[in-house]
Structures are given as structure tokens and as C-alpha cells.
Amino acid sequence: MPHVAVVGAGPSGLFATAELRRRRPDVPVDVLDRLPTPFGLVRYGVAPDHHRIKSVTATLAAVFADERVRFLGNVGLGSDVTVAELRRSYDAVVVATGSGAARDLGIPGEGLPGSITAADLVAWYNGHPDAVPVLSWPRPATVAVVGAGNVALDVARVLLKSGTGLDDTDIPDPVRAGLDAHPVHAVHVVARRGHHDVRFSLGELLAFDDLPGVVPVVDPAGLTDDPPPGHAARARHAVFRRWAENSPGPGDRVLRFHVHRSPVAVLGSTRVTGIRLADPTTGTASVLDVDAVVRAIGYRGTPIPGLPFDPERATVPHESGRVEPGLYVTGWLKRGPSGVIGTNKACAVESVGSLLDDLDDLPAAAPSARKALTAAHEVVDWAGWTRIDRAEIALGRRRGRARTKITDTAELLAHARH
Amino acid sequence: MPATDEETVVPYVITDACLDVMDRTCVAQCPVDCIQEGERMLYIDPDGCIDCGACEPVCPQEAIHLAAALPAELQHFEAVNAQFHTATDYGPAGPGRAAGVDHPVVAALPRR
């Protein structure tokens, strides 16, 4: 019987696993993850106040109800096992490790204290075990968030809500305290794209209408009368036009959109004091006085030994998900960091289709190699994760919440053991 | 983690631009399989929808709207989508129903 390894227990890996179950229920699947916890960016990327999106974990977890699907948590590709070892141990390997690194702006001043990546900030407020505190500004701060997508809006919303506003979420206590200790009275969202081309989704924009004490404002420069094609883009355009009329009063906290503006330099000598913007068409420059800059301009895949890599696209070259017979990619590592959670399902269906076209003709792997692979590591299996899950729910209950995340790897492993 | 919203939320809604087309690209994108078929149109189950938005941009008919941004003349499709999944005498295929049966409001619409 062939045995498949899926590397990465995020949405892409688990959609691939579900598709494998659906089409070949006889084939056992091992799902590896470098963390002791499953769900990848659903747990560590989706904003903590997006309860409905986070509830996709119930769907993703369903594959583990089948005893032929094993969770092998706390096993890192590169650190604990190599691609070559996996290929010797499994008949087919699907790599779904995503795009973990942040893209940089490539402008002067980007390395100043107070200039941070959304990837680091999001990992911290979501309690990722590897994350460190990144907020450092004097109070109360004005923050520029650079980016034209929903991550920029997540960051802006979380900063404006502060810790107290996230009381109904699973954020760890130190994160709640850290957000409360770094209040934000204004956020500037800066996007190089024009009003018609920004990637903010309508629902994410409308959420700011309901944020108490926050007034969204749009810089009317560049906001044209002609609506863009597509009903969602038109509705977004209408929101921007409505917000262009807003005038915040004293005491209001402000979310100000600067669209069609390129960041050209982060300003400051010892830490961030401003950001210089330019109109990409005319070059006209302007300066925003800010205490911090968060760049939310996307993620990048990083090369993995044993896998080919396209440095331009920062993805693994493939044909319909096939890197070569026996080796497959899916999700962000395959097509780059774009789309929403559901996009990865159709992506996984394609990759698994390629795998199943090949599977019966692939050379058989040695089960003994598989056993040795897992014997050498402290593996967190699904029962171990279930114990972590229960501990987090109990921790949350003591705080009147549905869950409070545990962030320390040693503590996660201790809960997994008993 | 369970959704904390107690009230029934209808994040996305399919409207009559889907009628007699049923492209189904959205079905492949939906991560929680909450888009079900009637005879002539697709419907989103508001209890299943997790508000991810994967379906909306892929619809070639632009039939899918955020509920909060439905044009006035399409508002009633919010109830149509929800009722399709809770009614007993019509709804998606399932036990006792070999194929989906459209909401009466949809069934009464002229063929396109």
C-alpha cells in the first residue's frame, strides 16, 4: 500500500489530505508540521477577531477522524527531516509549507527601530511560538501600515482595537497587555495601487464602520468619479467615496487611507519618525509623521533544500502541482501568497490530481525508513494536539473566553504529553 | 474554535445572476462546502459560510454579493439563500430528495 506524506498542516496541506481521502480512502497519509499545533495560518495568520473564518478549523480537522491519517507535529522540514529522507520513506510527498518570509519595501530607513513587518506583528498577536514582541512606540502613537490587501486592514484593525477590544478572542495574555501598553490614535494605510486596483475586500473595509471611536477617512486625491468594473469593486469604491466625506472630531481615532502613494523612505535617525511618500505618476512628495511603519506588502517563499526554487517568483516550479513524479507542491509555495483560504482548496485538488495520476507507477518506499524517521523525534500526534486544545480551552474559560492560546513551545509539548 | 456570532449571519449571498447558468466555480472554491444546488440556481448556507470570500470574485456571472452590500432590488435573496437550507418542502439534495428543489421565489422566475 502506498503511503503519502503531506508537509504542513495548514489549510493547503489539510485540503490536500482531504482530497486524498476523498479520492483514495485506502491510502494512508501522514501530515507533518514543524509546530506541535495544526492549522498553520488559520491559527497563526487569520486575525484573532475573525471568529467565523477561524471556524474553518472544524472542517480542516475532520481528516484526522480517520485512523489512516496521522498528525506528526513538532517535526520540521529542514530541521528534523529532509526532503530526501521523506522521499525515501514515503511513496509520494506533498509540500505545503507556505511562504513564511515577509517581503521588504527596499527603501532607505526600512531597518530603523519602529519599522516592522506585518508578518512579525501578525505572528506575535496570534501567539506564534517563534514570535517576539515587536511594538515599541511611545504612547499614543500614529502608525503607517503599508499595503493594499487585507493583511494591512487586519493590522490596522487590531492596532485600533487594542488589547481590550480583543477581549472575546484567543490572544495570549502578554499580547493583550502589549497591545494595551501601546495605544494607537491614528493609522495611515498607504497603498501604491490606485483606488480601482487595491485588494482590500469589501467586508474587511465595512468592518471599520462598526469600530467604536474610529473614523475612517479617505484622502480624496486620486479618488475618481468613474466606478471600476465589477460589483464588489464598485461597492468598495462607494465606501471610499463615502469615507472621503468623513471629518473626524477631536478625540476620534482616525484610520486614514492614502491610495496611489508610493513609500520612498522611512525617516528617522534613531527610530522611525516619519515616512516619505510620492505620487507614482507625478512624483510629488509628501511626508507623514509617524511613530512606526508596518509593511504589509506580502509574503515570500524561501528555498527548501531538496526542492527546486524560482527566486523571481519565490515559489517552487511545478506543472499542475507536480515538481517531479513523487514530489508535489500546493498552496502558497506553489502559486505564491495570494487568494483566500478557499483558493487553496481548488489548488490542492489540482496537485492531488497530479499525485494520483502518478501514484500507482511510483517506486515503493520502505516502511522501515518511515518508522526510523518518526522514532528520532518527539512527535505530537493528534491525541497530543487534542490535549493542547483542551488546555487552551480551559485556560480561556478561566478568563471568560472560548480559548486562550498557549505560546511557549515547551509548555505546548508538556500539555501534549499528558 | 466555534463562531461566537449567536445570530444567524449571512455573509455572502447568491442572486439570480446565477439562474439557469450554475457555473459552479464557486463550489470548488468554498472551503466548507456550504454552496448547494437547486435545479436552476446555487445557494449559500448561512450557517456553514465562514465569511472567507473565496466564492465572490470567481463567479463569472457576478452573482455573489456580500450580504451587507446587496443592492436594494436583490435584498430578498438573503432570505432565499437561508430558507433554501432550512425549508422542508424544498432545498438541496439529501435524504428523501434525489435532486435539489429551488426556492419557490426562484422557481417562479422566467427562464433565461
Side-chain angles (χ1 to χ4, degrees), chain A residues 207-247:
Chain A
F208 288 102
D209 280 330
D210 301 327
L211 219 54
V214 173
V215 177
V217 181
V218 171
D219 176 359
L223 189 56
T224 54
D225 285 340
D226 53 315
H231 69 68
R234 278 197 302 278
R236 190 178 60 212
H237 187 73
V239 171
F240 278 143
R241 291 183 62 86
R242 177 162 59 80
W243 287 356
E245 309 286 318
N246 279 352
S247 46

Side-chain angles (χ1 to χ4, degrees), chain A residues 317-367:
Chain A
H318 68 92
E319 201 172 298
S320 302
R322 180 189 295 105
V323 181
E324 59 183 65
L327 184 61
Y328 309 85
V329 285
T330 194
W332 279 6
L333 189 63
K334 169 183 168 186
R335 50 169 226 285
S338 67
V340 294
I341 288 173
T343 316
N344 296 298
K345 187 181 140 194
C347 182
V349 167
E350 182 194 60
S351 295
V352 167
S354 298
L355 184 156
L356 292 177
D357 286 346
D358 302 344
L359 188 62
D360 292 325
D361 300 324
L362 294 170

Side-chain angles (χ1 to χ4, degrees), chain A residues 128-142:
Chain A
H128 193 289
D130 298 343
V132 292
V134 286
L135 306 187
S136 63
W137 47 75
R139 64 171 65 196
T142 298

Side-chain angles (χ1 to χ4, degrees), chain A residues 5 7 40 54 62 64 73 94 110 139 151 160 168 171 183-184 188 253 256 294 297-298 358 374 403-404 413 415:
Chain A
V7 188
K54 291 228 183 219
F64 293 106
V94 182
E110 195 168 16
R139 64 171 65 196
V151 174
L160 287 165
D168 62 340
I171 58 168
V184 169
H188 296 283
R253 291 179 304 144
R256 196 176 290 275
V294 184
I297 53 166
D358 302 344
T374 49
R403 169 191 303 274
T404 293
L413 291 175
H415 282 291

Side-chain angles (χ1 to χ4, degrees), chain B residues 26-63:
Chain B
C26 59
V27 175
Q29 298 277 324
C30 176
V32 292
D33 296 328
C34 78
I35 303 176
Q36 308 292 336
E37 287 191 25
E39 200 180 334
R40 301 171 59 198
M41 195 183 121
L42 305 172
Y43 304 80
I44 291 173
D45 180 358
D47 286 339
C49 176
I50 58 163
D51 201 8
C52 81
C55 55
E56 185 272 322
V58 302
C59 175
Q61 301 298 313
E62 293 195 21

Side-chain angles (χ1 to χ4, degrees), chain B residues 43-111:
Chain B
Y43 304 80
I44 291 173
D45 180 358
D47 286 339
C49 176
I50 58 163
D51 201 8
C52 81
C55 55
E56 185 272 322
V58 302
C59 175
Q61 301 298 313
E62 293 195 21
I64 306 178
H65 293 251
L66 191 68
L70 271 172
E73 68 276 14
L74 298 173
Q75 287 282 349
H76 61 291
F77 279 99
E78 184 171 334
V80 164
N81 278 252
Q83 288 161 5
F84 180 77
H85 291 91
T86 54
T88 49
D89 48 344
Y90 58 89
R97 195 182 291 125
V101 176
D102 282 310
H103 189 287
V105 166
V106 171
L109 292 169
R111 291 246 160 225

